[in-house]
Amino acid sequence: MIKTKDLEVCYVASLLAALVRNIRNFVPHIPHFVCYNKLMEKKTTIWIIIAVVIVAVVVVLALTGNFGAKQTQEQTYKPSNVAAPGASAVSTSGIVITSEGKAAKNDAKPMSPEAPQESLPITDKSSVPSSSIDIKVAATGITPKQFTVKAGAVTHLLVSSGDQYTHLFKFEDPSLQAIAIGIGPGDPTRLMTFNAPTKTGTYNYFCDVPGHAGRGETGKMIVE
């Protein structure tokens, strides 16, 4: 009679034999399986690296504000002449430029590096270009009340005070907000050079000191 212990031994032996047969059948495929897994791992790693790089580039572009934006480089110009010390220079091609040689922006914040600059105080008006438009601001009004310029032309505004008060010559149109010239008792005359708007039309100017425009310190520039 076969004992239970002997049956257990036989059962274990049969399991071991089956395992050996399976291993023997699987062994020839091991090199292929290992190589395949390694290849897949390499491919997966490569794709992960590519994905990380793409995400990093998108994040950098988004943070710098350049995502989807065209990269443009501002043209620089060589200065040709300056109408008065401190005023913006004019290039050989007739463009009013900044100290960096870039085109000045009439819509920039007044006195900012991008804006046309007003000159130092002028004591001798004969030293400025004869084509300058001589503007006098006083409590009685601004003279001339009107003047005309060509679209895009280099324009020199020579602004002076006609009384003992402080005045601030400005334009109403936001496209000319950078054209702001302050004058007063101790600073009677200053000049600013800028390119007239390329858009034809009428551009109103006034004294920005509170109450001055209301008493008649206004006028208009006509661009043809």
Side-chain angles (χ1 to χ4, degrees):
M1 182 178 179
I2 301 175
K3 296 180 180 180
T4 303
K5 188 175 182 179
D6 294 335
L7 290 174
E8 292 176 354
V9 172
C10 290
Y11 179 72
V12 172
S14 63
L15 286 177
L16 289 173
L19 180 60
V20 169
R21 285 195 303 271
N22 289 334
I23 292 175
R24 188 180 299 165
N25 293 332
F26 181 73
V27 165
H29 301 286
I30 287 179
H32 302 287
F33 180 75
V34 172
C35 291
Y36 177 77
N37 277 353
K38 287 184 178 180
L39 180 60
M40 293 305 295
E41 288 177 0
K42 288 182 179 179
K43 287 184 177 180
T44 302
T45 302
I46 292 172
W47 281 112
I48 291 175
I49 293 173
I50 293 174
V52 170
V53 170
I54 292 174
V55 171
V57 170
V58 171
V59 170
V60 170
L61 290 176
L63 291 176
T64 56
N66 294 325
F67 187 73
K70 293 182 179 180
Q71 298 296 315
T72 57
Q73 185 176 1
E74 289 187 68
Q75 184 176 352
T76 56
Y77 302 86
K78 292 183 179 180
S80 175
N81 61 78
V82 178
S88 297
V90 180
S91 72
T92 53
S93 56
I95 302 296
V96 177
I97 58 177
T98 66
S99 59
E100 296 180 349
K102 298 177 181 178
K105 299 177 180 179
N106 291 344
D107 60 352
K109 184 178 179 180
M111 299 180 68
S112 66
E114 298 81 15
Q117 302 297 307
E118 64 179 7
S119 71
L120 298 174
I122 296 173
T123 56
D124 182 11
K125 290 186 177 181
S126 63
S127 63
V128 302
S130 58
S131 59
S132 299
I133 300 169
D134 195 352
I135 297 175
K136 185 175 291 186
V137 186
T140 54
I142 298 179
T143 55
K145 296 291 289 185
Q146 174 181 318
F147 64 87
T148 302
V149 296
K150 295 293 184 181
V154 173
T155 304
H156 305 291
L157 293 186
L158 184 64
V159 182
S160 59
S161 175
D163 53 28
Q164 72 275 22
Y165 300 110
T166 296
H167 300 280
L168 179 58
F169 179 93
K170 289 186 67 177
F171 285 92
E172 290 181 357
D173 198 306
S175 67
L176 290 172
Q177 68 171 351
I179 314 304
I181 307 171
I183 35 90
D187 190 6
T189 305
R190 286 181 183 260
L191 177 142
M192 182 173 284
T193 302
F194 66 100
N195 285 107
T198 54
K199 181 180 179 181
T200 59
T202 300
Y203 296 82
N204 296 323
Y205 52 79
F206 65 103
C207 177
D208 199 31
V209 174
H212 285 203
R215 67 187 184 187
E217 295 180 28
T218 60
K220 57 184 178 181
M221 176 179 71
I222 299 175
V223 178
E224 296 180 340

